[in-house]
Protein backbone atom coordinates (compact mmCIF):
# COMPACT_ATOMS: atom_id res chain seq x y z
CA UNK A 1 0.00 0.00 0.00
CA UNK A 2 1.36 3.40 -0.94
CA UNK A 3 1.99 5.84 1.87
CA UNK A 4 1.38 9.56 1.94
CA UNK A 5 3.12 11.11 -1.03
CA UNK A 6 4.18 14.72 -1.35
CA UNK A 7 5.36 16.63 -4.40
CA UNK A 8 7.81 18.18 -4.93
CA UNK A 9 10.35 17.02 -2.39
CA UNK A 10 12.25 20.29 -2.69
CA UNK A 11 11.37 23.68 -4.12
CA UNK A 12 13.46 26.82 -4.31
CA UNK A 13 11.62 29.94 -5.43
CA UNK A 14 12.16 33.65 -5.34
CA UNK A 15 10.28 35.97 -3.07
CA UNK A 16 7.04 37.01 -4.72
CA UNK A 17 6.64 33.87 -6.78
CA UNK A 18 3.91 31.29 -6.42
CA UNK A 19 4.41 27.70 -5.35
CA UNK A 20 1.93 24.83 -5.17
CA UNK A 21 2.58 21.83 -2.98
CA UNK A 22 0.70 18.61 -3.48
CA UNK A 23 -0.22 15.82 -1.11
CA UNK A 24 -1.65 12.43 -2.02
CA UNK A 25 -3.01 10.78 1.12
CA UNK A 26 -3.38 7.08 1.70
CA UNK A 27 -6.34 5.79 -0.25
CA UNK A 28 -9.49 5.79 1.84
CA UNK A 29 -8.23 8.25 4.43
CA UNK A 30 -10.80 10.99 4.89
CA UNK A 31 -8.64 13.04 7.24
CA UNK A 32 -5.87 15.10 5.67
CA UNK A 33 -3.64 17.49 7.58
CA UNK A 34 -1.03 20.05 6.63
CA UNK A 35 1.77 20.96 9.01
CA UNK A 36 4.86 23.13 8.70
CA UNK A 37 8.22 23.11 10.42
CA UNK A 38 10.30 26.23 10.27
CA UNK A 39 14.00 25.58 10.90
CA UNK A 40 14.65 24.61 14.52
CA UNK A 41 11.08 25.20 15.60
CA UNK A 42 8.10 23.00 16.36
CA UNK A 43 6.08 21.28 13.68
CA UNK A 44 2.98 23.45 13.58
CA UNK A 45 -0.52 22.60 12.46
CA UNK A 46 -1.85 24.48 9.47
CA UNK A 47 -5.07 22.88 8.31
CA UNK A 48 -7.33 19.83 8.59
CA UNK A 49 -9.62 18.48 5.90
CA UNK A 50 -12.31 15.87 6.39
CA UNK A 51 -12.93 14.68 2.86
CA UNK A 52 -13.22 17.91 0.86
CA UNK A 53 -14.35 20.09 3.77
CA UNK A 54 -12.05 22.27 5.84
CA UNK A 55 -12.55 21.06 9.39
CA UNK A 56 -10.04 23.40 11.00
CA UNK A 57 -7.92 26.04 9.33
CA UNK A 58 -6.90 27.87 12.48
CA UNK A 59 -3.20 27.33 11.80
CA UNK A 60 -3.06 28.98 8.38
CA UNK A 61 -0.67 31.91 8.80
CA UNK A 62 -2.34 34.40 6.47
CA UNK A 63 -4.34 34.76 3.27
CA UNK A 64 -1.31 34.10 1.10
CA UNK A 65 -1.89 30.43 1.83
CA UNK A 66 -4.68 28.57 0.07
CA UNK A 67 -5.43 24.89 0.59
CA UNK A 68 -7.81 22.85 -1.48
CA UNK A 69 -8.96 19.26 -1.57
CA UNK A 70 -11.27 18.91 -4.50
CA UNK A 71 -13.15 15.62 -4.56
CA UNK A 72 -11.75 14.63 -1.20
CA UNK A 73 -8.69 12.94 -2.65
CA UNK A 74 -5.40 14.78 -3.08
CA UNK A 75 -4.79 18.23 -1.64
CA UNK A 76 -2.83 21.24 -2.77
CA UNK A 77 -1.35 24.04 -0.73
CA UNK A 78 -0.60 27.20 -2.68
CA UNK A 79 1.54 30.03 -1.40
CA UNK A 80 1.06 33.25 -3.33
CA UNK A 81 3.09 35.41 -3.19
CA UNK A 82 5.81 33.62 -1.27
CA UNK A 83 7.77 35.46 1.40
CA UNK A 84 11.10 34.62 3.00
CA UNK A 85 9.45 33.52 6.26
CA UNK A 86 7.49 30.86 4.38
CA UNK A 87 10.63 28.76 4.10
CA UNK A 88 10.42 25.47 5.93
CA UNK A 89 9.34 21.87 5.56
CA UNK A 90 5.69 21.31 4.82
CA UNK A 91 4.31 17.98 5.96
CA UNK A 92 1.10 16.31 4.96
CA UNK A 93 -0.54 13.57 7.01
CA UNK A 94 -3.63 11.43 6.62
CA UNK A 95 -5.70 9.15 8.80
CA UNK A 96 -8.91 7.22 8.69
CA UNK A 97 -11.97 8.95 10.06
CA UNK A 98 -12.82 7.23 13.36
CA UNK A 99 -11.04 4.32 14.96
CA UNK A 100 -7.66 5.54 13.84
CA UNK A 101 -4.61 5.00 15.98
CA UNK A 102 -2.16 7.11 14.07
CA UNK A 103 -1.73 9.73 11.43
CA UNK A 104 0.61 8.76 8.60
CA UNK A 105 3.00 11.42 7.44
CA UNK A 106 4.65 12.07 4.13
CA UNK A 107 8.30 12.91 3.63
CA UNK A 108 7.59 16.59 3.47
CA UNK A 109 8.31 19.31 0.93
CA UNK A 110 11.28 21.50 1.74
CA UNK A 111 10.45 25.00 0.55
CA UNK A 112 13.16 27.62 0.32
CA UNK A 113 12.23 31.18 -0.54
CA UNK A 114 15.19 33.32 -1.57
CA UNK B 1 -3.86 25.89 25.11
CA UNK B 2 -1.78 22.81 24.59
CA UNK B 3 1.99 22.81 24.73
CA UNK B 4 4.72 20.20 24.39
CA UNK B 5 8.22 20.87 25.67
CA UNK B 6 11.24 18.85 24.65
CA UNK B 7 13.97 20.60 26.59
CA UNK B 8 16.79 18.55 25.11
CA UNK B 9 17.72 19.70 21.63
CA UNK B 10 20.61 17.43 20.73
CA UNK B 11 21.87 14.24 22.35
CA UNK B 12 24.93 12.29 21.32
CA UNK B 13 25.66 8.82 22.67
CA UNK B 14 27.92 5.95 21.85
CA UNK B 15 26.37 2.78 20.51
CA UNK B 16 24.98 0.44 23.17
CA UNK B 17 24.38 3.23 25.64
CA UNK B 18 20.88 3.75 26.98
CA UNK B 19 19.32 7.14 26.28
CA UNK B 20 16.16 8.84 27.55
CA UNK B 21 14.34 11.53 25.61
CA UNK B 22 12.23 13.80 27.78
CA UNK B 23 8.79 15.16 26.98
CA UNK B 24 6.66 17.41 29.19
CA UNK B 25 3.21 18.50 28.13
CA UNK B 26 0.53 20.97 29.15
CA UNK B 27 -3.18 20.61 28.53
CA UNK B 28 -6.44 21.52 30.23
CA UNK B 29 -8.22 18.52 28.79
CA UNK B 30 -8.89 15.47 30.91
CA UNK B 31 -8.86 13.26 27.84
CA UNK B 32 -5.91 13.55 25.53
CA UNK B 33 -3.46 11.50 23.51
CA UNK B 34 0.32 11.48 23.50
CA UNK B 35 2.52 10.39 20.63
CA UNK B 36 6.13 9.86 19.71
CA UNK B 37 7.30 10.13 16.12
CA UNK B 38 10.73 9.42 14.64
CA UNK B 39 12.10 11.38 11.71
CA UNK B 40 14.99 9.51 10.09
CA UNK B 41 17.26 11.21 7.53
CA UNK B 42 14.84 10.24 4.75
CA UNK B 43 12.45 12.86 6.13
CA UNK B 44 9.12 11.18 6.81
CA UNK B 45 7.67 11.08 10.29
CA UNK B 46 7.35 7.51 11.51
CA UNK B 47 4.78 6.74 14.19
CA UNK B 48 6.20 5.01 17.26
CA UNK B 49 3.50 5.04 19.91
CA UNK B 50 0.19 6.49 21.00
CA UNK B 51 -0.93 6.63 24.60
CA UNK B 52 -4.26 7.93 25.90
CA UNK B 53 -4.54 9.83 29.14
CA UNK B 54 -6.40 7.06 30.93
CA UNK B 55 -3.70 4.50 30.39
CA UNK B 56 -0.69 5.11 32.59
CA UNK B 57 0.86 1.74 32.11
CA UNK B 58 4.39 1.89 30.86
CA UNK B 59 5.00 0.22 27.55
CA UNK B 60 7.95 -1.68 26.17
CA UNK B 61 8.51 -2.57 22.55
CA UNK B 62 11.83 -4.24 21.96
CA UNK B 63 14.56 -1.75 22.84
CA UNK B 64 12.02 1.07 23.18
CA UNK B 65 10.13 1.90 26.35
CA UNK B 66 7.87 4.73 27.38
CA UNK B 67 7.19 6.12 30.84
CA UNK B 68 3.93 8.05 31.15
CA UNK B 69 3.43 9.95 34.42
CA UNK B 70 0.34 12.15 34.68
CA UNK B 71 1.50 13.52 38.03
CA UNK B 72 4.43 15.23 36.34
CA UNK B 73 2.83 15.61 32.90
CA UNK B 74 5.66 13.71 31.32
CA UNK B 75 5.89 11.06 28.63
CA UNK B 76 9.52 10.06 28.38
CA UNK B 77 11.03 7.71 25.82
CA UNK B 78 13.97 5.42 26.53
CA UNK B 79 16.06 3.57 23.97
CA UNK B 80 18.03 0.73 25.49
CA UNK B 81 21.30 -0.38 23.94
CA UNK B 82 21.16 2.32 21.27
CA UNK B 83 22.21 1.58 17.71
CA UNK B 84 23.46 3.77 14.89
CA UNK B 85 20.12 3.27 13.10
CA UNK B 86 18.41 5.04 15.99
CA UNK B 87 20.00 8.30 14.86
CA UNK B 88 17.09 10.57 13.98
CA UNK B 89 14.99 13.47 15.19
CA UNK B 90 12.36 12.41 17.71
CA UNK B 91 9.18 14.36 18.21
CA UNK B 92 6.74 14.16 21.07
CA UNK B 93 3.18 15.29 20.30
CA UNK B 94 -0.15 15.83 21.99
CA UNK B 95 -3.71 15.73 20.69
CA UNK B 96 -6.94 16.55 22.45
CA UNK B 97 -8.78 14.03 20.34
CA UNK B 98 -7.88 10.77 18.73
CA UNK B 99 -6.51 11.22 15.24
CA UNK B 100 -9.58 9.60 13.70
CA UNK B 101 -11.93 12.33 14.75
CA UNK B 102 -12.57 16.00 14.57
CA UNK B 103 -10.26 18.51 16.25
CA UNK B 104 -7.54 15.92 16.13
CA UNK B 105 -4.61 18.11 15.23
CA UNK B 106 -1.28 17.33 16.83
CA UNK B 107 0.72 19.78 18.91
CA UNK B 108 4.40 18.96 18.56
CA UNK B 109 7.50 19.69 20.56
CA UNK B 110 10.61 21.07 18.87
CA UNK B 111 12.17 17.66 18.48
CA UNK B 112 15.34 16.08 19.82
CA UNK B 113 18.19 15.22 17.47
CA UNK B 114 19.74 11.96 18.58
CA UNK B 115 23.11 10.93 17.22
CA UNK B 116 24.38 7.47 17.98
CA UNK B 117 28.08 7.05 17.27
CA UNK B 118 29.64 3.69 16.51
Amino acid sequence: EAGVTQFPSHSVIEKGQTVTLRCDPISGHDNLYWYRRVMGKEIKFLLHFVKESKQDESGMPNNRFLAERTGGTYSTLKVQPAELEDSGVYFCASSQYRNSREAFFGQGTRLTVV
Amino acid sequence: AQKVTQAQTEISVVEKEDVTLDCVYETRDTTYYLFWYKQPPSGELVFLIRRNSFDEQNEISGRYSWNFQKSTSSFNFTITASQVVDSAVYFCALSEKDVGGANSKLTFGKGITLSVRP
Side-chain angles (χ1 to χ4, degrees), chain A residues 31 33 35 37 40-45 48 55-56 58 89 91 95-108, chain B residues 4 35 37 39 42-47 49-51 59 89 91 98-111:
Chain A
N31 284 315
Y33 310 83
Y35 291 85
R37 188 186 190 207
K41 300 276 184 76
E42 301 90 343
I43 299 172
K44 287 199 171 179
F45 168 81
H48 173 202
Q55 177 74 32
D56 181 354
S58 61
V89 180
F91 290 100
S95 70
Q96 294 178 322
Y97 194 74
R98 301 189 190 286
N99 303 316
S100 181
R101 182 175 178 81
E102 63 178 288
F104 295 83
F105 281 78
Q107 291 182 308
Chain B
V4 175
F35 301 79
Y37 278 86
Q39 185 186 30
S42 52
E44 77 278 16
L45 291 168
V46 178
F47 168 83
I49 190 171
R50 181 198 77 165
R51 172 68 81 231
E59 183 161 335
V89 182
F91 293 94
D98 207 352
V99 292
N103 301 320
S104 51
K105 60 188 177 187
L106 295 170
T107 299
F108 285 88
K110 290 185 178 182

Side-chain angles (χ1 to χ4, degrees), chain A residues 37-105:
Chain A
R37 188 186 190 207
V38 173
M39 179 72 77
K41 300 276 184 76
E42 301 90 343
I43 299 172
K44 287 199 171 179
F45 168 81
L46 297 177
L47 178 79
H48 173 202
F49 284 101
V50 177
K51 296 186 179 179
E52 67 275 9
S53 298
K54 291 176 183 175
Q55 177 74 32
D56 181 354
E57 51 184 326
S58 61
M60 294 289 264
N62 51 60
N63 59 11
R64 295 185 293 102
F65 288 74
L66 175 63
E68 295 181 324
R69 192 182 183 194
T70 306
T73 55
Y74 70 91
S75 175
T76 57
L77 179 64
K78 180 190 288 188
V79 185
Q80 179 182 30
E83 298 289 343
L84 298 179
E85 64 264 25
D86 300 332
S87 296
V89 180
Y90 290 76
F91 290 100
C92 177
S94 72
S95 70
Q96 294 178 322
Y97 194 74
R98 301 189 190 286
N99 303 316
S100 181
R101 182 175 178 81
E102 63 178 288
F104 295 83
F105 281 78

Side-chain angles (χ1 to χ4, degrees), chain A residues 13-26:
Chain A
I13 62 171
E14 292 184 353
K15 176 181 173 181
Q17 288 186 324
T18 297
V19 63
T20 299
L21 314 181
R22 172 170 169 147
C23 170
D24 285 73
I26 292 173

Side-chain angles (χ1 to χ4, degrees), chain B residues 19-92:
Chain B
V19 58
T20 295
L21 311 181
D22 298 333
C23 175
V24 174
Y25 62 91
E26 295 175 30
T27 180
R28 294 179 183 174
D29 298 310
T30 55
T31 301
Y32 51 89
Y33 297 82
L34 295 162
F35 301 79
W36 276 94
Y37 278 86
K38 172 183 179 180
Q39 185 186 30
S42 52
E44 77 278 16
L45 291 168
V46 178
F47 168 83
L48 295 178
I49 190 171
R50 181 198 77 165
R51 172 68 81 231
N52 74 53
S53 53
F54 295 108
D55 182 1
E56 289 194 68
Q57 280 193 341
N58 291 330
E59 183 161 335
I60 297 175
S61 176
R63 297 183 297 105
Y64 295 171
S65 62
W66 291 269
N67 183 0
F68 175 31
Q69 293 199 351
K70 286 181 78 171
S71 60
T72 57
S73 297
S74 65
F75 186 44
N76 296 337
F77 173 30
T78 297
I79 302 175
T80 302
S82 60
Q83 300 177 1
V84 173
V85 293
D86 296 328
S87 297
V89 182
Y90 291 86
F91 293 94
C92 181

